[in-house]
Every structure is written in C-alpha cells, then in structure tokens.
Amino acid sequence: MTTALVTGAAGALGRAIVRRLTADGHRVAALDVEAKGLDGALPLETDLRDPAAVEAAFAETRARLGPVGILVNNAAVYPARPFLEVPLAEYDDVHAVNQRAYWLAAQLAAQQMSTQTSGRGGAIVNVASITMHGGWSDLAAYVATKGAAAALTRALARELGPEEIRVNCVSPGAFPTAAETIHPDPEAYDRMVLERQALQRRGKPEELAAVVSFLTGPDASFVTGQTIEVNGGWVMA
C-alpha cells in the first residue's frame, strides 16, 4: 500500500482520481481549499497559493499516512477573459495554482520518495489540458500553465529517473465539470465538443482516473516522461 497525495481533490476530476486511488488500495491525502466529503481519504484544506501551507500538508501526510509515493498534481483555476484585459495579478494567481504549486508539490513529493526506508521510487502525474494544443481564446493564462505542466513533466522525468521516480502527464479533453460554467451557451459548447471528438459522447471523470491509476501502478513501471491524451480523439498527437 502506497501513500498518494492528490491536489484539487474536491473537483469532479479530483474526486474521481481520489476514489480510484483509494479503490486501488492506496492511502490518499486529498488537498483542496475546501476538502470536504471525500470519503476514504484524509482531507487537508490547503491553499496551494501558500507555499507554507503546501509544505505543512506534505508534512502532515507523512506523519499520518507515511511518505508520499504517488503525487497527482490536478489543481487548477480557470478564469476566462480576453488576453488584453488580464491583469498581471490574475495571471500571477493562475500561475501560482496551476504551475508553481505543481513545481513545489513535485519537489516535496520527490524528497519523500527518495528518502523512503523501503527504497527509492515513486510516481508523479501532472494534469495538463487539451487547451494547450489549440491555443484557446480568452484562456491565455490557463493555457500557458497547462503547456508548462507537460514541459515540466519531461524535465522532471529526465532528472528524477535515476531515483526510479516516474513522471508522466495526462491531458484531459472537455470533460463535463463545473469548469464549463464559464461558457455562456452550454448546449452550443456541448455540440462543439462532440463535433471535434472521434468518440461521439462526453467523457467521464472515471475514465481519466483510470489512466491516472495505470500511470501510478506497476503496469506502467517503464513509462516516464509521457503525456497521454484522454480526449475521445479530439487531438491525435
């Protein structure tokens, strides 16, 4: 049994990942600004914008569940406005949650993974987004951080490989979550998604969680530095 830590655990994708890793038999710490109702996990209310809070969450996870062996960097904020109207403070906030927190969490997790008494090794999964391929309008800050998540994945996979720490990325498509409320016409948005996908249905959060389960499990023991697209065939890279 391994200790897993999931950020952004209270959202639809995060909850599905927490449920799946718990079902896989892992001890799970679930981090979010409002980490409630996450059955079977250790809820830790954590503002990822605060490095001290992140460090405290990792310390508490180790004290209560054991050293982290799996990290899923899933948290994200998703403000939408035209690029020319984005204030620098908003960009900094998006970067703090979607990228700086990924960096810090990966660093803290890798430190615990490389000092485990049972030996080296672990798995990190960063969550990117289909938007990094299309350059979507009104989401420049979000898109930039998601592209960075994929690039960070490759850099960390290279550097942490000698420690037997595998680092991979999942890039979800347009899953039906609360994030879609930024689109003013839900029906038109739904039609747009289906027109672009090869599979003519909306994805389920559990389907993304299944890929995370694979990447953090023994069947992916020789997989690192990869970005797996989970988008129903929208993007075929």
Side-chain angles (χ1 to χ4, degrees), residues 185-198:
D185 187 337
E187 291 185 2
Y189 180 75
D190 193 67
R191 288 195 301 272
M192 180 274 292
V193 170
L194 295 180
E195 287 171 358
R196 286 160 173 75
Q197 290 181 179

Side-chain angles (χ1 to χ4, degrees), residues 9-213:
L13 298 182
R15 286 179 182 274
I17 293 168
V18 168
R19 287 195 299 267
R20 180 56 187 261
L21 293 180
T22 301
D24 288 345
H26 302 303
R27 301 177 295 263
V28 181
L31 275 61
D32 209 299
V33 287
E34 294 184 4
K36 298 177 181 178
L38 295 161
D39 296 338
L42 171 64
L44 296 174
E45 293 196 357
T46 308
D47 186 347
L48 297 177
R49 300 171 179 85
D50 181 356
V54 177
E55 292 173 0
F58 270 83
E60 185 171 355
T61 298
R62 181 163 194 161
R64 298 180 62 176
L65 302 180
V68 172
I70 293 171
L71 167 66
V72 182
N73 271 322
N74 169 67
V77 291
Y78 195 77
R81 74 174 78 223
F83 167 68
L84 293 177
E85 299 176 11
V86 177
L88 188 58
E90 182 173 280
Y91 170 80
D92 287 342
D93 186 67
V94 174
H95 177 83
V97 177
N98 299 9
Q99 183 51 215
R100 189 183 67 186
Y102 281 37
W103 172 286
L104 177 58
Q107 193 173 63
L108 294 169
Q111 289 169 353
Q112 293 193 21
M113 292 171 184
S114 63
T115 59
Q116 293 187 59
T117 57
S118 59
R120 299 182 305 172
I124 297 172
V125 176
N126 296 317
V127 178
S129 166
I130 192 173
T131 61
M132 69 181 179
H133 299 292
W136 287 24
S137 298
D138 299 340
L139 290 173
Y142 175 82
V143 172
T145 60
K146 289 307 182 177
L152 178 65
T153 294
R154 294 188 290 271
L156 295 186
R158 183 72 65 187
E159 188 161 350
L160 299 177
E163 295 291 323
E164 289 295 325
I165 297 172
R166 298 180 296 105
V167 188
N168 290 291
C169 183
V170 291
S171 179
F175 284 80
T177 68
E180 291 190 356
T181 59
I182 67 168
H183 301 288
D185 187 337
E187 291 185 2
Y189 180 75
D190 193 67
R191 288 195 301 272
M192 180 274 292
V193 170
L194 295 180
E195 287 171 358
R196 286 160 173 75
Q197 290 181 179
L199 299 178
Q200 292 295 290
R201 63 174 178 82
R202 299 300 300 274
K204 302 174 183 177
E206 291 76 16
E207 292 174 305
L208 180 72
V211 178
V212 173
S213 174

